Amino acid sequence: MGLKPLGTILLAFTLPKFADADAPAKSAHSNPMLGIRNVFAAFGASSPALLFATLVAFYINFLDDGFSTFFPLFGLGVGLSLVAIGTLKGIKSVAGIVVRLLSGKIFKVIDFRTLNHLLVIGWSLAVFVLPWVREPWIFVALFMAMGLARGLSRVTSATLVAEEKSKDSAGIGLASGIYNMGLDAGALAGPLVAGLVARATGVP
């Protein structure tokens, strides 16, 4: 395992420089986005569509990372093997990869804004019914559904952000920063809440 990060370090030294790497840096005083007040100001100046996309981004990682933390404990508790748990996670990942490749064709059939709402609802229902599932084939179906929902939700929410970027080129960095802030906040909160749920429900 230690060879992987070592190989990454060696690869980093061989990467070419970006075209603008030698360009003079802009003055930090031209548009300082420093301090917590500026963060709140940035959110306040953001469009409703960007804030909605950020909320979806938060929810995606909150639900996915929280579920990924909780399910291995739950799965072992209901008699699933580590191999079965790993296989289910692999199925979810493969479903997410495939559906992203097909997202362009899917958006031609159904508007991505409508699809975004349906995905959030469907994904939430899949996680909600999981504690009552014991049949292996139902586990497989639910994990496929969650993989599809996660993969497409990332595309639909990122598409919303891309639309906002196209409206105001000056705010490209801000839009990306706010959106990714939602992803990081969800990744932080999800496992914490999952641990509290596991403790409250007596999962060893």
Side-chain angles (χ1 to χ4, degrees):
M1 293 298 293
L3 293 177
K4 292 182 179 179
L6 179 60
T8 304
I9 294 172
L10 296 175
L11 179 63
F13 285 109
T14 66
L15 294 177
K17 292 183 177 180
F18 290 106
D20 59 349
D22 296 326
K26 293 183 178 180
S27 173
H29 299 289
S30 60
N31 185 24
M33 290 298 294
L34 303 174
I36 192 67
R37 286 183 299 179
N38 287 320
V39 173
F40 284 115
F43 273 94
S46 300
S47 67
L50 176 58
L51 294 178
F52 175 71
T54 302
L55 180 62
V56 173
F58 171 84
Y59 185 73
I60 288 172
N61 273 10
F62 176 81
L63 189 60
D64 190 57
D65 284 27
F67 176 77
S68 296
T69 302
F70 179 80
F71 183 75
L73 304 175
F74 171 79
L76 291 174
V78 298
L80 293 178
S81 65
L82 288 174
V83 173
I85 294 171
T87 300
L88 289 171
K89 184 175 178 59
I91 290 172
K92 182 162 74 80
S93 297
V94 170
I97 293 172
V98 172
V99 78
R100 289 190 196 199
L101 296 175
L102 300 175
S103 59
K105 295 182 179 179
I106 295 173
F107 293 162
K108 292 180 180 178
V109 178
I110 181 171
D111 183 74
F112 71 90
R113 299 171 189 84
T114 302
L115 185 61
N116 195 77
H117 289 73
L118 296 176
L119 291 169
V120 169
I121 295 172
W123 190 3
S124 302
L125 289 175
V127 175
F128 179 77
V129 302
L130 204 67
W132 291 278
V133 174
R134 295 297 182 270
E135 294 294 329
W137 69 270
I138 301 180
F139 274 119
V140 171
L142 288 177
F143 270 75
M144 286 186 64
M146 287 187 285
L148 295 174
R150 186 186 188 282
L152 270 182
S153 295
R154 285 297 301 268
V155 177
T156 56
S157 60
T159 303
L160 285 170
V161 176
E163 283 197 338
E164 293 307 302
K165 290 179 181 179
S166 64
K167 294 177 183 177
D168 181 13
S169 60
I172 289 177
L174 180 62
S176 297
I178 291 176
Y179 176 75
N180 284 286
M181 191 185 301
L183 289 171
D184 291 339
L188 173 66
L192 292 174
V193 173
L196 294 175
V197 170
R199 181 177 181 180
T201 55
V203 176

